[in-house]
Amino acid sequence: MEERSNAEWMARFEADLKRRFHDRSTAKHYMSDLRVFVQFHPGPLDEVTRADIDAFVDQQHTVGLAPATVKRRVAALKSFFDFLAEESHQLGRSNPVSMRRHAGRQPKLLPRDLSDAEVSRLLGVIREPRDLAMVALMLYAGLRVGEVASLCPADISAEKGDTSPVRLKVMGKGRKERVVYLCREGYVPLLRYLEAHPLADAQSPVFRNRLGDPITVSGIEERLGQYGRLSGVDLTPHRLRHTYGRWMAESRLPVLSLAKLLGHASIQTTQRYIDGADPDLRRGYDEAMELHLAGTAEQAQPEAQVAPKAELGPTTIARSSPGSCPGEEWLGWAPTWLREDCLAWLRHQWPRWKASQRHHHAQNRLGELRLFWSWQLARRPLAGWEQLTA
């Protein structure tokens, strides 16, 4: 194996990342993570063992890092050792990093959106037209902070006098271009900023810093941090995006449409917004509590029997006895013509799952079915399979 110092390996790895991801921040973040590992384990990188990675991950958890941060550092290290094996012509070399072993399971957290009161406080302290326009893009169009920084005048399609939403073309993660919409309330601050700061080049970034250079992601984050302190709001760019997602979910925007607007590659990512803002769940709670309180007011209720704890997921599923196959109560949301076929499929899958995980798997599968069919039935009413065409 060719001998190189740690500095040489790191330089070659950085050059490879910049070549592969020349227009993304991958090189910056992965190199930062690799340097953290080298500070922890200064020995030769080509001699790192799985036990060394174990110790590093344990230390990262000990200092209180978020699970997502640890997972990213593990991913960076795995990428580096894959590169090292390829560069040293040892493709059969075992990678000391195992994502299953070292990345750990990530907690499923609800979106950290802002309340409407916090949004009002935030908007009340922003006086700079540029900053108000940037916030509006994240809050009313759901843009990521990097998408705001790279937005160009050519990406904005708006006609004078037109009251319909403004069409924006943005380049998202993985160099995937998508179209989003910006309501007129969110477009007004952007229009005012563009009129006050016209650009000769339609392909140049819209937002500039005080030196006239294109603003950076860290520059936007710094400004938001200042406004967060002024308004007393724990503010990050992604919290604005989460707030946009909650608004759309509460307004019953179909989940597939929301996924397209947010630029999510997986609908499971979008599901977090639905779980955090479930209008059906809220309405069901209101109706159930109203009936309960009305009954309590009429007469004193006898001592209630303790009901088995219900599981809440994408859809509420009544638990059957352990090991029992699902019944019709599992698909109360489905039309009659669809229910029996879904149950037949679920009963077919049931014995294939471990007994201890059957309810968990069934809940997830039924949640996915509910999302798809809710979207499908919202597009066109169907009374049976015969109405479906290729």
Side-chain angles (χ1 to χ4, degrees):
M1 178 175 178
E2 186 177 357
E3 293 187 4
R4 289 195 177 95
S5 66
N6 285 353
E8 291 175 320
W9 279 121
M10 293 170 68
R12 292 174 70 89
F13 181 54
E14 183 173 17
D16 179 69
L17 290 173
K18 288 181 176 179
R19 181 169 56 251
R20 292 162 54 202
F21 310 106
H22 62 91
D23 53 355
R24 295 166 62 181
S25 59
T26 304
K28 172 185 173 182
H29 295 306
Y30 273 26
M31 291 307 301
S32 173
D33 296 332
L34 183 56
R35 292 187 187 100
V36 170
F37 175 75
V38 170
Q39 289 178 354
F40 171 82
H41 180 83
L45 285 169
D46 53 8
E47 297 178 7
V48 169
T49 65
R50 177 158 293 188
D52 296 326
I53 302 297
D54 289 345
F56 173 70
V57 171
D58 291 342
Q59 186 267 347
Q60 296 292 284
H61 286 302
T62 300
V63 299
L65 289 183
T69 303
V70 176
K71 181 179 180 180
R72 191 197 69 198
R73 289 185 174 172
V74 169
L77 290 175
K78 186 177 188 307
S79 180
F80 170 76
F81 287 109
D82 283 341
F83 167 81
L84 189 149
E86 183 177 354
E87 284 291 295
S88 59
H89 306 292
Q90 293 183 330
L91 298 181
R93 175 189 174 93
S94 176
N95 193 317
V97 179
S98 166
M99 294 301 294
R100 184 181 181 87
R101 177 188 180 96
H102 297 120
R105 296 188 65 176
Q106 301 299 299
K108 294 184 178 181
L109 304 176
L110 293 177
R112 295 299 185 259
D113 55 283
L114 302 178
S115 68
D116 293 344
E118 288 175 322
V119 171
S120 297
R121 291 209 311 270
L122 171 64
L123 296 179
V125 302
I126 302 177
R127 297 288 180 264
E128 185 70 32
R130 180 202 64 182
D131 299 342
L132 187 59
M134 293 191 302
V135 168
L137 286 167
M138 290 179 270
L139 189 60
Y140 295 110
L143 267 62
R144 299 181 177 95
V145 61
E147 295 166 352
V148 173
S150 61
L151 188 70
C152 300
D155 300 328
I156 306 169
S157 300
E159 300 293 336
K160 288 186 176 180
D162 188 4
T163 58
S164 60
V166 174
R167 187 173 180 269
L168 305 177
K169 187 169 60 178
V170 298
M171 185 66 71
K173 284 186 176 180
R175 303 299 297 166
K176 294 179 181 178
E177 198 171 49
R178 73 183 191 280
V179 170
V180 300
Y181 297 94
L182 178 65
C183 65
R184 285 288 157 172
E185 182 178 354
Y187 178 58
V188 169
L190 178 60
L191 178 61
R192 290 175 179 168
Y193 176 74
L194 288 171
E195 290 176 344
H197 302 84
L199 292 172
D201 184 1
Q203 301 298 330
S204 297
V206 168
F207 299 108
R208 304 274 163 168
N209 60 23
R210 58 186 177 83
L211 300 177
D213 299 322
I215 196 166
T216 62
V217 167
S218 59
I220 297 176
E221 292 172 337
E222 181 182 359
R223 294 298 293 164
L224 288 186
Q226 294 176 10
Y227 289 122
R229 289 188 289 273
L230 284 173
S231 61
V233 175
D234 182 11
L235 185 63
T236 65
H238 223 61
R239 291 199 74 188
L240 295 173
R241 179 172 156 87
H242 279 305
T243 304
Y244 164 83
R246 173 176 67 83
W247 287 348
M248 296 298 100
E250 288 179 341
S251 300
R252 298 181 180 277
L253 180 71
V255 64
L256 291 181
S257 298
L258 181 55
K260 289 180 180 179
L261 290 174
L262 290 170
H264 288 159
S266 169
I267 198 172
Q268 297 302 319
T269 306
T270 314
Q271 180 63 41
R272 292 183 59 207
Y273 295 86
I274 306 300
D275 290 342
D278 190 336
D280 292 329
L281 181 63
R282 173 62 183 273
R283 187 178 68 252
Y285 168 81
D286 289 341
E287 292 174 354
M289 187 56 67
E290 183 178 352
L291 289 173
H292 169 72
L293 294 177
T296 304
E298 291 179 2
Q299 60 181 6
Q301 297 293 323
E303 184 175 352
Q305 295 181 347
V306 178
K309 185 178 179 182
E311 293 186 359
L312 292 180
T315 182
T316 302
I317 296 177
R319 261 199 185 273
S320 307
S321 59
S324 63
C325 291
E328 289 197 5
E329 71 275 6
W330 291 55
L331 283 108
W333 53 268
T336 303
W337 64 269
L338 174 63
R339 189 176 306 158
E340 192 57 39
D341 289 315
C342 287
L343 279 174
W345 174 81
L346 198 60
R347 287 167 182 157
H348 176 71
Q349 295 293 114
W350 190 262
R352 302 185 178 192
W353 296 324
K354 292 175 63 175
S356 61
Q357 298 180 358
R358 283 172 180 165
H359 287 279
H360 171 75
H361 288 314
Q363 194 173 32
N364 286 343
R365 300 305 186 277
L366 288 179
E368 293 168 359
L369 286 172
R370 183 190 182 191
L371 286 174
F372 171 78
W373 283 108
S374 296
W375 165 75
Q376 185 66 249
L377 294 172
R379 294 184 63 201
R380 51 178 178 169
L382 298 171
W385 293 102
E386 66 278 0
Q387 295 183 1
L388 289 172
T389 57

